[in-house]
Amino acid sequence: MSNRQWTLRGEHTEYTVAVPDHGRWLELVAWGPHGVSAGPSPVAYTGPTPFLTAGDYAPVEYATDGVRPFAGAELIVELPTGDRRVSWDFQEATGDERQLSVLFTDPVTGLRAEHCYRIAEGTDVVERWTELHNPGDTTLRLVQAASAGFNLPTPHGARISYQWGQWAQEFQLDHVDLGQGRFAVGSAQGVPGHLFVPWLAVRDRADETGPAWGVALAWTGSWEISAQRDTGGLTRVTAGRHLADSSLELPPGGTLTLPVAAGAYSGEGLDGLARVWHTYQRRLAGDRLDRLRPVLYNSWEATGFAVDAGNQLALARTAAEIGAEAFVVDDGWFIGRHDDRGGLGDWTVDEAKFPDGFDAFIAQIRAMGLTFGLWVEPECVSPASRLYAEHPDWVYAVDGRPQTLVRNQLLLDLGRPEVAEFVHGTVDGLLRRHDIGYLKWDFNRPRTEPGRAASAAPVDLDGAHVANLHRIYEQLRRDHPDVIIEACAGGGGRTDLAMAARADVVWPSDNTGPLDRLAIQHGFLHANAPHLLSSWVTDAPGLFDPRPRSLAFRFVLAMAGVLGIGADIRHWDERQRAEAASWIARYKQIRQVIQRGEVHLIGGPDQARCAVQYTAPDGATVIVLAWNTGRLDGPGLLPSRPVRLPLRGLGRQDAYRQQDGPGYSGSHLSAVGVPVQWTADHDAELIVLHRK
């Protein structure tokens, strides 16, 4: 490293930054495979900038509006006088090839900004965040405070990939070409939300299967990621918090650490970029990656709110018979919860539903060989609850304004210490009192009222809520290390890197219709590792694509991550139960490869080829899950050849044998592909290949 240039090195990539001689900012030199910085920078610019400033065209890593006054900044600071235009002077840098800290200060206000970088060992993801400190005697107002800016070379135009959605239709992968201008996605809901995913990918339009850069956020509140391409071919991605409610105040002596914005690089397009994210999220899981994620049964779609010991035990007996390992009682187990209008906040077991006692009920579940799981939604409260009657000031509210009900419930202000103590005590108490091994934490409404009752001073509501949510998760992880925690928010409304680091699995959508779910999981796996993907087999039809599919299709689809069952299995006949037991047994044999293997996404839901390949870490086993996305009334009736699924990452000289099938060379599997023949009765396939 030179005095003013530093290179961080990942497993296969490097990220080089430098401070120019003028010392006014830090800028990118190169980001890509090892050795990419040994040559002229692909993002540098020293030419004319008519009607703009040099900073507007430079590949600045973290810009104020004083550095980039016209092309967009990460940080906008306002003084009590209304003055803006904070600028930077370089002070010092410390670090090595894994982490780096570069300090800048503003010569007028004294504001200190520490640009922080870290690459986790064994990954190709650079974590970036900024720490702001106000050493002066005047409060500074942060009008905008993103975490980082990422500079990407796109000389032929940018292809932006993102994921949009709504409730029951999350993680819809889509693309937009950006010639010049700005593209942005985000959430103002106090939660990542269903509308967009805090993830973005950028490729040059001339090489869409080559280099790809990705940006994602570790922030469970309101957020924004934008991409802006200038006329010189630089695409700049800004990621961080969206200050939807109000600006932030940084008082004298105050420090603010902004969320991690993570950047990823792959030379193998979106498919390769997905693998980079998977490796990183496995690293985030730490030792929890090794724990068994059980095949679960969840009772919601079978019984809804009509929970009682009798119907739950009947479901549990059948679930145990077909091979489930955990049984989760969903919403409806506590007092006042007969529909979505009551009960939330009063987390006391409804004795009328469990007349022999809740612990006796759990003991019966455990006697079947099943881990017991429970649903909670501790951040929300029903207006008719005892909790709300006693603490109406605990919910978000704007004085004098009506409150907004969403799903007939209000949202607790988790940033208040007494509310955080109540929420933690509620969940911790349940886990201590009862034999619970699986916890489903739900969140079924966004924040609508950006206010705190009787609060005169400005409050960072979003920051306080997120900080306490993360703290509670961490406390539960510490005190109950053997409990599996599933993160849910009306489906996939709370999916970000911070939750990936704290939850064991994520529920991506309430939509379990087969073809709808296929599209949801296709997008999910581009941004998230399969060990996080909770998926159920149900009888539900699709909301958007209602074409029927077989039970086999539903099982192969749910096997793509962590397998679960949610159908009303009391009504399955013996043939269906036997088929289910067979699929569950097969899944248990391969789940380590599914959850830990290297993933290659083959085709997609809108293509003739649609499959996911999982290769074991040692390369000895390859699993392929494949689905027929087309019509079912033609295959097998007219002349046709099998669909071929070319596999990736195999040794061309290696030999593979399909379980209960033929043998192949690695060259054949890569160049020609493994065949699947669809018929009206055969619409999905599980293929297991073993290397000889």
Side-chain angles (χ1 to χ4, degrees):
M1 294 186 181
S2 70
N3 289 337
R4 289 202 171 195
Q5 180 166 307
W6 305 270
T7 298
L8 295 118
R9 299 189 187 278
E11 188 73 2
H12 307 99
T13 58
E14 65 185 38
Y15 192 101
T16 299
V17 293
V19 175
D21 291 340
H22 55 64
R24 293 175 51 213
W25 59 70
L26 183 68
E27 66 181 37
L28 180 72
V29 175
W31 180 17
H34 285 159
V36 70
S37 57
S41 170
V43 293
Y45 182 78
T46 57
T49 58
F51 292 92
L52 296 172
T53 71
D56 288 310
Y57 262 90
V60 181
E61 288 285 274
Y62 192 74
T64 68
D65 56 340
V67 172
R68 286 171 60 89
F70 307 119
E74 281 70 53
L75 181 67
I76 300 176
V77 179
E78 188 171 276
L79 278 63
T81 60
D83 292 342
R84 297 186 178 184
R85 296 296 194 265
V86 160
S87 61
W88 296 141
D89 279 343
F90 170 65
Q91 301 299 314
E92 62 180 1
T94 58
D96 53 33
E97 292 187 345
R98 290 291 181 192
Q99 55 188 0
L100 175 67
S101 172
V102 186
L103 178 64
F104 288 83
T105 61
D106 173 41
V108 175
T109 65
L111 177 66
R112 295 165 60 90
E114 191 171 350
H115 305 353
C116 302
Y117 297 75
R118 180 176 58 217
I119 293 184
E121 185 176 354
T123 77
D124 289 300
V125 171
V126 56
E127 298 174 332
R128 294 185 52 195
W129 69 99
T130 304
E131 297 180 2
L132 301 172
H133 176 67
N134 179 11
D137 55 8
T138 301
T139 295
L140 302 176
R141 191 164 72 94
L142 308 182
V143 178
Q144 181 168 312
S147 295
F150 294 88
N151 300 279
L152 313 174
T154 54
H156 307 98
R159 167 61 66 94
I160 310 296
S161 298
Y162 67 104
Q163 297 185 40
W164 61 270
Q166 59 183 324
W167 174 79
Q169 197 183 18
E170 301 91 330
F171 300 101
Q172 302 299 300
L173 182 65
D174 212 340
H175 318 277
V176 63
D177 289 337
L178 191 63
Q180 283 83 36
R182 184 174 183 269
F183 174 85
V185 292
S187 167
Q189 297 180 312
V191 67
H194 297 83
L195 300 181
F196 298 102
V197 176
W199 169 97
L200 199 74
V202 180
R203 292 166 288 166
D204 187 88
R205 285 194 305 189
D207 190 6
E208 294 183 13
T209 60
W213 294 267
V215 176
L217 273 170
W219 183 247
T220 318
S222 297
W223 61 276
E224 180 174 277
I225 301 178
S226 66
Q228 182 165 319
R229 184 176 183 273
D230 65 25
T231 55
L234 178 72
T235 296
R236 197 163 183 279
V237 177
T238 294
R241 294 184 59 178
H242 173 44
L243 305 183
D245 302 328
S246 65
S247 57
L248 302 179
E249 290 196 349
L250 191 60
T255 297
L256 176 65
T257 299
L258 295 167
V260 167
Y265 169 83
S266 171
E268 300 176 331
L270 290 183
D271 184 49
L273 196 62
R275 289 189 289 278
V276 174
W277 287 124
H278 296 175
T279 298
Y280 175 65
Q281 290 175 340
R282 288 166 179 153
R283 179 80 182 186
L284 292 179
D287 294 340
R288 290 185 290 106
L289 183 63
D290 297 326
R291 66 174 51 186
L292 179 72
R293 285 157 174 78
V295 176
L296 66 80
Y297 181 86
N298 183 290
S299 65
W300 172 251
E301 294 204 13
T303 56
F305 295 106
V307 169
D308 62 51
N311 62 32
Q312 299 300 293
L313 289 171
L315 288 164
R317 280 190 287 271
T318 302
E321 289 170 3
I322 63 175
E325 298 163 318
F327 184 86
V328 180
V329 174
D330 210 279
D331 199 351
W333 56 269
F334 46 99
I335 58 173
R337 195 62 168 173
H338 309 293
D339 51 35
D340 65 8
R341 292 188 293 274
L344 291 178
D346 300 339
W347 299 102
T348 301
V349 174
D350 189 336
E351 295 181 358
K353 296 185 176 186
F354 302 93
D356 295 330
F358 198 51
D359 287 326
F361 165 74
I362 294 174
Q364 288 181 273
I365 299 291
R366 298 286 290 119
M368 299 177 197
L370 297 167
T371 296
F372 179 72
L374 197 64
W375 176 96
V376 293
E377 191 179 359
E379 295 160 83
C380 292
V381 62
S382 301
S385 66
R386 183 179 67 249
L387 178 69
Y388 184 69
E390 294 174 356
H391 301 285
D393 57 324
W394 279 14
V395 302
Y396 288 107
V398 176
D399 289 343
R401 302 291 182 184
Q403 295 172 324
T404 305
L405 289 176
V406 177
R407 201 176 182 252
N408 294 308
Q409 61 199 50
L410 298 168
L411 182 60
L412 294 174
D413 181 356
L414 191 63
R416 298 175 68 121
E418 63 273 29
V419 175
E421 182 179 356
F422 166 79
V423 169
H424 172 259
T426 294
V427 180
D428 180 70
L430 287 169
L431 296 178
R432 291 182 186 277
R433 288 192 301 273
H434 307 295
D435 187 4
I436 298 170
Y438 191 103
L439 182 73
K440 181 179 179 181
W441 184 312
D442 209 341
F443 181 85
N444 279 305
R445 63 152 298 162
R447 184 177 67 248
T448 49
E449 277 64 57
R452 175 172 292 176
S455 176
V459 180
D460 179 9
L461 298 174
D462 202 35
H465 193 120
V466 172
N468 280 343
L469 174 71
H470 291 171
R471 189 176 300 116
I472 292 168
Y473 261 77
E474 290 157 8
Q475 290 172 319
L476 296 175
R477 295 257 66 115
R478 180 196 65 211
D479 297 337
H480 307 279
D482 296 328
V483 175
I484 298 287
I485 300 181
E486 175 184 338
C488 175
R494 195 179 241 176
T495 307
D496 68 284
L497 291 177
M499 294 308 293
R502 292 168 173 82
D504 296 297
V505 291
V506 172
W507 180 240
S509 181
D510 288 343
N511 187 344
T512 56
L515 290 167
D516 290 351
R517 188 70 173 212
L518 184 63
I520 291 165
Q521 294 185 180
H522 179 70
F524 184 92
L525 288 174
H526 274 81
N528 299 281
H531 75 271
L532 293 168
L533 173 60
S534 176
S535 191
W536 301 349
V537 175
T538 74
D539 298 321
L543 297 176
F544 304 96
D545 189 340
R547 290 177 294 164
R549 284 298 186 266
S550 68
L551 186 60
F553 187 105
R554 293 172 183 267
F555 263 101
V556 175
L557 179 60
M559 287 181 179
V562 180
L563 174 62
I565 299 94
D568 190 347
I569 50 180
R570 295 171 298 180
H571 302 305
W572 280 6
D573 60 29
E574 289 301 318
R575 181 192 60 79
Q576 290 172 304
R577 294 183 186 186
E579 182 179 353
S582 175
W583 284 116
I584 292 170
R586 293 180 70 184
Y587 174 76
K588 290 177 181 178
Q589 294 172 351
I590 62 172
R591 66 176 149 191
Q592 285 292 84
V593 179
I594 295 287
Q595 295 174 18
R596 301 289 296 274
E598 181 180 272
V599 173
H600 294 265
L601 301 164
I602 303 169
D606 58 346
Q607 301 176 37
R609 292 170 173 166
C610 186
V612 183
Q613 171 191 340
Y614 305 81
T615 303
D618 63 2
T621 303
V622 178
I623 310 297
V624 181
L625 308 180
W627 305 274
N628 179 11
T629 60
R631 294 175 59 175
L632 300 180
D633 55 357
L637 302 177
L638 297 169
S640 64
R641 290 184 173 86
V643 174
R644 291 282 183 164
L645 305 173
L647 306 187
R648 301 288 181 262
L650 306 184
R652 292 187 176 273
Q653 303 303 315
D654 290 339
Y656 297 84
R657 177 160 294 280
Q658 183 173 339
Q659 188 170 308
D660 303 322
Y664 305 93
S665 68
S667 179
H668 181 93
L669 291 171
S670 301
V672 179
V674 64
V676 289
Q677 183 73 62
W678 303 130
T679 69
D681 300 319
H682 183 67
D683 56 8
E685 185 68 84
L686 163 61
I687 299 167
V688 180
L689 299 165
H690 296 290
R691 188 177 61 196
K692 293 183 181 179

